[in-house]
Amino acid sequence: MRATRSHQPEFIVTEGYDMRHHSSLETGGKAEYYAKPRDEGEVLSVLELAYRRSLPLTIIGGGTHILVSDEGVEGIVISTEAMKGISIKGDMLIASPGEMLENIINVAIEHRLTGLEEIAGIPGTIAGAISVNANANGRAISDLFLYSDVITPDGRMHRYPHYSDAFGQQSSVIGQSGIVMSVALSLIPSINTADARMRKEAFIESMFIPPCRRFSGEIFRNAGDMRADELLRLASVPGKSGLRAEFSEYQPNSIFTYKGCTSDEIYTLMLEAERKVEKTLGIKLERSLTLIGSFRDLTK
Ligand SMILES: Cc1cc2nc3c(=O)[nH]c(=O)nc-3n(C[C@H](O)[C@H](O)[C@H](O)COP(=O)(O)OP(=O)(O)OC[C@H]3O[C@@H](n4cnc5c(N)ncnc54)[C@H](O)[C@@H]3O)c2cc1C
């Protein structure tokens, strides 16, 4: 399917795209349609196509925090990963949605702007980070958030300024209401860029992301003051599961998978963990990983 707007080279919406290529967990089925717009005009073209054909929309970034249904995804999946660009105005950094966190941190330091070093090592794009409120080492992206420009499915652009209830703990309302098109962060000016670089490298090392790509980020959100990894440990969730997916003993709120694992197996593992924590501790876990497409409870 071709979008109406001409561009160099032509912008194509792919039919039957294998989503395993766009998910860190490398599981899941095909997207009915898949689009990777490079700018606002192409985003509007995809929205127009979706409107004309009454196709549901699913928005993703780098695919490092999604679980795609084995049955595939109905409608158009839009990845904003190809939209790049960073500008600096004083202590404000404005990034296009597809900019990788790592690149943003490097550019910020080059411009003597700091504050993001603690989240160095988190894979994925700035739009994904804002949508899930990515955090590590006591620093959440929301700490530095200034505003975000978001296109809603009707094609209108909205600016979400910083306001205190924009982010709950590890969550955000922004990603759910449209397509994040740019993110402005308010950073901390510093002349000590050598120190910032060293801190960044140290945080990357301490994060320990195994070389294997089939490893998830944090599956569940913390429940108030209670850390999700602690809750999982208390409910004896990590360890052998009999599935080709397991909660890690080392990082109890993360899942790693074995060859041939399916999204259904990961989903089953998540359901079993949720039930175990609720039964043992009376706490209902909230998911951080975004489920894409429809899932059935196969344990029933
Ligand atoms: C090995 C590993 C380690 C990780 N460690 C951490 C960690 O320490 N801390 C942490 O917080 N996370 C961690 N993660 C999770 C993940 O990297 C982050 O959540 C990241 O910010 C997701 O970015 P993404 O571009 O891949 O988003 P995706 O996975 O593509 O999407 C995530 C969510 O963002 C939404 N979204 C993405 N782009 C847009 C857009 N343009 N507009 C609207 N909504 C959008 C999607 O709808 C989805 O709900 C880890 C993941 C892996 C695989």
Side-chain angles (χ1 to χ4, degrees):
M1 180 160 46
R2 281 161 213 285
T4 46
R5 185 171 175 267
S6 67
H7 202 282
Q8 287 297 327
E10 193 176 16
F11 172 57
I12 306 276
V13 178
T14 313
E15 203 169 335
Y17 181 84
D18 189 342
M19 287 297 292
R20 280 176 305 176
H21 302 317
H22 206 89
S23 161
S24 289
L25 288 164
E26 294 181 8
T27 58
K30 288 184 176 168
E32 192 179 357
Y33 296 104
Y34 177 79
K36 214 166 164 178
R38 293 158 294 189
D39 56 33
E40 189 182 323
E42 292 184 348
V43 169
L44 291 172
S45 299
V46 184
L47 292 179
E48 195 188 321
L49 271 178
Y51 174 75
R52 276 196 278 114
R53 298 192 179 204
S54 304
L55 295 166
L57 288 170
T58 301
I59 320 300
I60 61 169
T64 64
H65 208 44
I66 56 172
L67 181 66
V68 181
S69 166
D70 292 325
E71 285 162 27
V73 192
E74 207 190 317
I76 303 186
V77 174
I78 302 178
S79 166
T80 53
E81 195 185 33
M83 281 189 266
K84 305 286 188 190
I86 298 178
S87 63
I88 309 276
K89 291 179 187 161
D91 61 0
M92 183 168 69
L93 181 149
I94 304 166
S96 296
E99 282 292 346
M100 294 291 164
L101 277 182
E102 189 186 346
N103 192 39
I104 291 175
I105 297 169
N106 288 337
V107 172
I109 295 174
E110 273 167 30
H111 287 81
R112 301 182 171 188
L113 293 173
T114 64
L116 290 167
E117 302 79 68
E118 286 86 347
I119 57 170
I122 300 181
T125 65
I126 183 68
I130 280 296
S131 301
V132 304
N133 196 11
N135 65 94
N137 304 304
R139 169 70 82 204
I141 193 83
S142 57
D143 298 342
L144 301 157
F145 176 77
L146 202 54
Y147 67 80
S148 181
D149 289 332
V150 174
I151 290 187
T152 40
D154 59 5
R156 288 171 203 234
M157 186 75 87
H158 305 262
R159 178 158 292 184
Y160 287 78
H162 175 74
Y163 50 95
S164 58
D165 61 349
F167 291 97
Q169 192 195 30
Q170 286 180 285
S171 66
S172 132
V173 294
I174 288 175
Q176 289 148 25
S177 53
I179 306 175
V180 173
M181 295 296 292
S182 72
V183 177
L185 302 171
S186 176
L187 302 179
I188 305 156
S190 167
I191 49 165
N192 200 347
T193 54
D195 175 64
R197 272 200 187 87
M198 267 160 42
R199 280 161 39 76
K200 182 199 84 171
E201 293 304 329
F203 284 121
I204 290 176
E205 257 180 54
S206 72
M207 188 167 277
F208 175 65
I209 295 179
C212 149
R213 283 187 64 227
R214 291 178 301 281
F215 202 96
S216 78
E218 298 200 333
I219 300 292
F220 299 110
R221 301 184 194 288
N222 295 336
D225 292 343
M226 318 269 282
R227 288 182 57 91
D229 55 0
E230 206 43 47
L231 296 174
L232 291 164
R233 218 193 285 271
L234 285 171
S236 306
V237 169
K240 293 270 172 253
S241 65
L243 298 160
R244 284 172 292 186
E246 275 171 25
F247 278 93
S248 158
E249 306 247 20
Y250 180 73
Q251 291 171 324
N253 194 13
S254 293
I255 286 175
F256 66 91
T257 65
Y258 295 100
K259 202 171 166 24
C261 179
T262 62
S263 290
D264 274 342
E265 286 176 276
I266 297 170
Y267 183 61
T268 300
L269 186 70
M270 287 168 66
L271 287 179
E272 283 172 356
E274 286 167 14
R275 285 186 194 128
K276 223 166 168 186
V277 168
E278 189 161 11
K279 195 169 166 214
T280 321
L281 307 167
I283 293 170
K284 220 171 159 45
L285 286 172
E286 193 192 336
R287 293 172 195 158
S288 169
L289 190 76
T290 303
L291 267 49
I292 305 236
S294 50
F295 285 82
R296 280 172 300 130
D297 182 352
L298 298 173
T299 60
K300 284 186 179 161

